[in-house]
Amino acid sequence: MTETIADRKAALRKQLRKARREHAAALPKEVSALVFNRPPAPVLEMVPEGATIGLYRADPGEAPAFSYTKFFFERGHPIALPRITTLDAPMRFHAHSDPFEESDLEDGPMGLRQPSGGLPEIVPDVLFMPLVGFTVTGDRLGQGGGFYDRWLEAHPDTIAIGMAWDMQEVGDLPVEDHDMPLAAIVTPTRILGPF
């Protein structure tokens, strides 16, 4: 039986998710507190003044976005987080106005915390997004649901920046027509791009 691109992606996701979880769990708390503390200057140069910033609430193992959320919020940028209602409905972004206490978040599908549906829907100008894997040329492997790809296809002017651990880099990835490109990738030690 011939392995399909979907099969290869699924196998890579399983392998990389496990490695990512183990890597993040093994980091000393002192190190975890320092990584992704604030966006580096070259990344900030990609962010237009007053831009609405889309971020995510990291699952265990994902590159943490919490400090970036606070950083941009404290500088007056509107913040948006993804909201998913069902696995076959499009992902939307809603305002997130309380990154410190997260009082405006509720439980969503797959145990994810997300903005309440009553909060305003907004479109990020810049979107920081999690990755499962990446290459030095900017190819990315996402979670597999296609939410970010579909959202980026519908919003081609959004500046998409991936966030990942260095150990998530792979030599190459299978890329399909629906896989949307990134403008840059930021890790604890490097900035790849702009692409």
Side-chain angles (χ1 to χ4, degrees):
M1 186 165 94
T2 306
E3 182 183 50
T4 66
I5 290 177
D7 294 335
R8 185 166 174 226
K9 283 183 170 182
L12 277 169
R13 276 190 194 95
K14 183 177 180 181
Q15 171 191 348
L16 290 169
R17 279 187 185 127
K18 180 179 185 294
R20 182 180 68 180
R21 274 191 312 273
E22 290 171 354
H23 171 79
L27 288 175
K29 288 187 180 187
E30 307 80 48
V31 173
S32 294
L34 295 175
V35 296
F36 299 106
N37 187 39
R38 63 171 279 154
V43 171
L44 289 176
E45 290 171 8
M46 299 176 72
V47 177
E49 186 175 330
T52 297
I53 309 295
L55 292 130
Y56 60 96
R57 195 167 181 281
D59 279 350
E62 287 181 337
F66 182 67
S67 292
Y68 277 31
T69 304
K70 292 189 300 183
F71 176 89
F72 285 113
F73 180 79
E74 288 175 341
R75 277 148 189 82
H77 288 272
I79 303 297
L81 294 181
R83 178 174 171 77
I84 297 169
T85 53
T86 64
L87 297 181
D88 57 348
M91 175 174 72
R92 303 196 185 285
F93 282 84
H94 289 256
H96 178 42
S97 61
D98 186 14
F100 294 94
E101 300 295 326
E102 297 186 332
S103 62
D104 58 349
L105 301 184
E106 63 185 21
D107 290 333
M110 301 172 287
L112 300 175
R113 300 281 292 160
Q114 61 183 20
S116 156
L119 294 169
E121 184 177 336
I122 55 178
V123 174
D125 301 302
V126 179
L127 176 56
F128 290 88
M129 52 194 281
L131 307 176
V132 175
F134 68 92
T135 68
V136 295
T137 58
D139 294 330
R140 60 175 268 278
L141 182 66
Q143 294 289 359
F147 290 106
Y148 281 97
D149 285 318
R150 289 190 298 273
W151 195 89
L152 288 170
E153 183 178 26
H155 301 88
D157 294 333
T158 298
I159 300 166
I161 301 171
M163 294 179 68
W165 303 106
D166 289 287
M167 52 71 56
Q168 291 175 250
E169 180 187 330
V170 295
D172 73 306
L173 288 169
V175 177
E176 298 176 275
D177 290 342
H178 65 263
D179 291 328
M180 301 303 293
L182 297 171
I185 298 169
V186 61
T187 78
T189 65
R190 297 176 293 165
I191 300 158
L192 303 168
F195 301 112

